[in-house]
Amino acid sequence: MAGQTLYDKLWASHLVSSRDDGTSLIYIDRHLLHEVTSPQAFEGLRLADRRPWRIDANIATADHNVPTSLKERSAGIAGIEDNVSRIQVQTLDDNTTSFGIETFGINDVRQGIVHIIGPEQGATLPGMTVVCGDSHTATHGAFGALAHGIGTSEVEHVLATQCLIQRKMKNMQVRVEGQLGPHVTAKDIVLAIIGRIGTAGGTGYAIEFAGSAIRDLSMEGRMTICNMAIEAGARVGLVAVDQTTIDYVKGRPFAPTPEQWDAAVENWRSLVSDDDAVFDKVVTLDAAAIEPQVSWGTSPEMVVGIHDSVPDPAQATDDTTRRGITRALEYMGLHAGQKMTDIQLDRVFIGSCTNARIEDLRAAAAVVEGRQVAGSIKQAMVVPGSGLVKRQAEQEGLDQVFRDAGFEWREAGCSMCLAMNADKLGAGEHCASTSNRNFEGRQGYGGRTHLVSPAMAAAAAIAGHFVDVREFVGTPAPTRRAVGL
Amino acid sequence: MKSFVRQKGLVAPLDRANVDTDLIIPKQFLKSIKRTGFGPNLFDELRYLDEGYPGQDCANRPINPEFVLNQPRYEGASVLLARKNFGCGSSREHAPWALEDFGFRVIIAPSFADIFFNNAFKNGLLLIQLDEATVDQLFDAVDKTPGYRLDVDLVNQQILTPEGESIAFEVDAFRKYCLENGLDDIGLTLTDNSEAIREFETRHRAAQPWLFRDGAVRQA
């Protein structure tokens, strides 16, 4: 019998029951809740007179709607100026209070984007099943946890039964071998993967990211990769457990106690795919060949290397693709053959569950230090992923580096990744964004998003247009406002 | 949840691939704490020529006459014909809520995104995956035939076309059972599996006690 993949093991260890047609009941260890996808689930529980099955499996925080300006935040929920947003955040607070669910309030230092605070608190552990009413729950798979996004009906199902009705996915392995070039990051790897397999390439699969380039990444980098598995169509992204994983988890507030630690580590060491495991599909990438990536269109698969140009619809292989490219170019205000480095920018956003961890902020600050945001940029903002990331960055002086360069330094939240709060693009504005989706209207009505790494976003902010960060950091930092880079 | 057994419905074609859930229902409408009322904002950025906001009366907004759902020939459509990877992106269940609220009961496409697929079935929508060639033929037929209706029969898992053709489709037995009977699957899980869940939980806790906090949370 062939060996098991990591996904096979996680599935087997959480299987409660199965029907003849393959429909299965899977036990859920951790459920993260936020304000946008939970109110209707709590309402459903109340209407059916049901109670949560296991309170301690749940952790809640508000992230999507919360303002990131200190002025609005300092007054707590009451300070949220947008009435509809305030009601939604208040509703989460009311629901979690009445059901007794642990909640990090909007001014708790532990508040932040759910996918940042779960790992940060040790609430995401290897071997767990983790779900949340948010597609970027795939992030937590970086810990060798089976993690995926769910809808609101499923949020209610998990609250009521501690289980989910699922069908087993197929196994895909994406191997990234070799060494990344300098300033090429996890974000570039995952964008390159999506560019290769497409936004539906992983549909129906759990993707395990493997290979030496993945093993060499920090936990932050692995989280960035798994985070965007959903942008390749896969609900689940996974990375096998190794010493990097174990070292990250140790000592975190929700991690195993010292008495439990050795047994936990012994268990976690088995969370790797067996050598003879069979994957339904294997994709291989050469890390050394990956360039810094920039998206040009309205789907994450519409991405190229920084030295490439906007594609020509005439070269598409079928009508649907050709129309898709044409429509994207029209929406983005770009033309075929245009160099990526010629795209002028209006705003820069460094943040989101993809790239708002301390390592991301360090990478951006290293590029920004001693330089100035270009005069043509209307706004450049840094939104830390959590209160704790913000505090850490401030202890390292990164906030000052950003402020000195002309960036705004904000409070934690999802912010301009999806523009549910006041942080948004205006119509027609181009944004270099470290977020995960460049869909039409995603960052604001008519807004034009380009997905990049934190280092590339930082370099673009200084130059006013996209620029290869590898060449950019080679030039000495000017002491005054940067011109003519 | 509304049950679905068999329905003959007008077909509206949405001829673009990778329709994401941001496009189906833009984020500003996700601030609602209700499950209903999303229909007027379905495909908001395609349907209207201005930016929409929650709570607004959409009756007086400027309509985009080119958008398919604004064309009189598709008024009252309950079957949406779409392209590959329909429903990709965010897990927002507001997308199926909006589709259902607008009046759709069936979506036909070559492929669907996984999370959207799950969400749709939990809201009385029937999602039918057909091969690209068949979907192409249906797009052609809809384009050429005003008032093109498909008779969708879940019980026999077939679509009957006006041309008299029968197109078979697959659906999971459990999803079919829930949809035919309009069943709430939480009730089913609790009825059929409460004991199995408790037994699993006991074994799981014994094997990996660190997964259970039992109220003992240390501070950061």
Side-chain angles (χ1 to χ4, degrees), chain A residues 161-369:
Chain A
T161 71
Q162 209 54 47
C163 291
L164 260 189
I165 298 170
Q166 292 288 297
R167 295 178 67 83
K168 192 160 184 252
M169 298 171 218
K170 290 180 284 183
N171 283 288
M172 183 189 297
Q173 186 188 50
V174 175
R175 300 185 67 84
V176 189
E177 298 286 0
Q179 197 161 5
L180 287 173
H183 304 288
V184 181
T185 65
K187 183 64 164 287
D188 302 301
I189 296 180
V190 73
L191 286 172
I193 291 169
I194 297 162
R196 165 85 79 87
I197 70 174
T199 49
T203 303
Y205 291 93
I207 299 182
E208 181 176 344
F209 299 98
S212 61
I214 303 294
R215 284 198 302 276
D216 287 347
L217 291 172
S218 65
M219 287 315 296
E220 284 86 350
R222 295 175 189 185
M223 283 189 258
T224 298
I225 303 233
C226 290
N227 172 276
M228 288 189 74
I230 187 65
E231 263 55 71
R235 277 187 300 164
V236 167
L238 287 165
V239 175
V241 171
D242 63 8
Q243 195 58 42
T244 305
T245 325
I246 292 163
D247 291 345
Y248 181 98
V249 171
K250 192 165 191 178
R252 294 188 182 263
F254 291 63
T257 60
E259 303 76 54
Q260 296 167 333
W261 182 254
D262 289 346
V265 169
E266 192 189 334
N267 179 294
W268 296 344
R269 295 270 186 211
S270 68
L271 298 173
V272 297
S273 288
D274 295 335
D275 290 338
D276 56 346
V278 177
F279 289 86
D280 300 289
K281 192 170 176 181
V282 177
V283 175
T284 310
L285 274 81
D286 173 12
I290 298 173
E291 299 238 290
Q293 303 282 302
V294 184
S295 74
W296 55 267
T298 53
S299 163
E301 70 186 19
M302 295 174 164
V303 66
V304 291
I306 178 66
H307 293 295
D308 291 329
S309 302
V310 175
D312 187 345
Q315 293 181 356
T317 49
D318 65 271
D319 279 350
T320 304
T321 309
R322 185 175 308 113
R323 284 198 301 274
I325 296 175
T326 306
R327 190 166 39 233
L329 292 185
E330 190 181 328
Y331 181 85
M332 294 297 289
L334 300 174
H335 58 83
Q338 192 171 350
K339 282 185 176 169
M340 295 310 291
T341 47
D342 287 346
I343 297 172
Q344 300 295 315
L345 297 161
D346 301 288
R347 293 181 201 265
V348 175
F349 171 64
I350 297 175
S352 87
C353 58
T354 313
N355 278 132
R357 297 179 183 83
I358 189 67
E359 182 179 277
D360 301 314
L361 303 193
R362 285 177 190 147
V367 174
V368 163
E369 188 153 25

Side-chain angles (χ1 to χ4, degrees), chain B residues 17 19 30 57 59 67 77 80 86-87 97 101 128 151 160 168 178 191:
Chain B
V19 169
L30 275 49
D57 178 5
F67 182 55
L80 184 66
F86 186 86
W97 292 339
D101 198 44
I128 299 175
D151 183 359
L160 298 170
C178 289
T191 310

